Amino acid sequence: MMALRQMASTTTIILVAEECDLDTAEGLTALFKRLATKMLLVTADNVAEPASAHANAQIIDVPRLDAPAVADIFKGYGIPQDNAS
């Protein structure tokens, strides 16, 4: 995190935070918004908060992957077919 903060003033930052809840996303945005020349935060979270809580965020609803697609991802990491399914 320190390295990101040090390079923020001269770098465009695209920060990907997996399983990032709203409070964490807001904290990361606040931290880098003051430091970075440009910053985009991309998160993956099951949005449970009301839409009004995300007034400053663009939410893109991505459809769930079907079971065969998820199994293919696991197989790509070397998981055997029977375990991947």
Side-chain angles (χ1 to χ4, degrees):
M1 186 64 84
M2 182 57 81
L4 281 174
R5 293 180 70 184
Q6 289 173 341
M7 61 193 264
S9 64
T10 59
T11 305
T12 299
I13 294 176
I14 300 175
L15 183 59
V16 179
E18 186 177 1
E19 296 298 323
C20 181
D21 63 20
L22 182 60
D23 290 337
T24 304
E26 288 175 345
L28 288 169
T29 300
L31 173 67
F32 285 103
K33 189 176 186 178
R34 292 187 301 262
L35 300 173
T37 55
K38 292 184 182 178
M39 190 263 199
L40 171 66
L41 175 63
V42 178
T43 68
D45 187 25
N46 293 323
V47 177
E49 297 87 5
S52 60
H54 298 275
N56 297 323
Q58 179 180 358
I59 298 175
I60 301 169
D61 188 23
V62 179
R64 294 174 88 61
L65 295 174
D66 60 10
V70 174
D72 285 342
I73 292 168
F74 289 141
K75 287 188 288 186
Y77 286 101
I79 306 295
Q81 171 67 41
D82 57 332
N83 291 340
S85 295

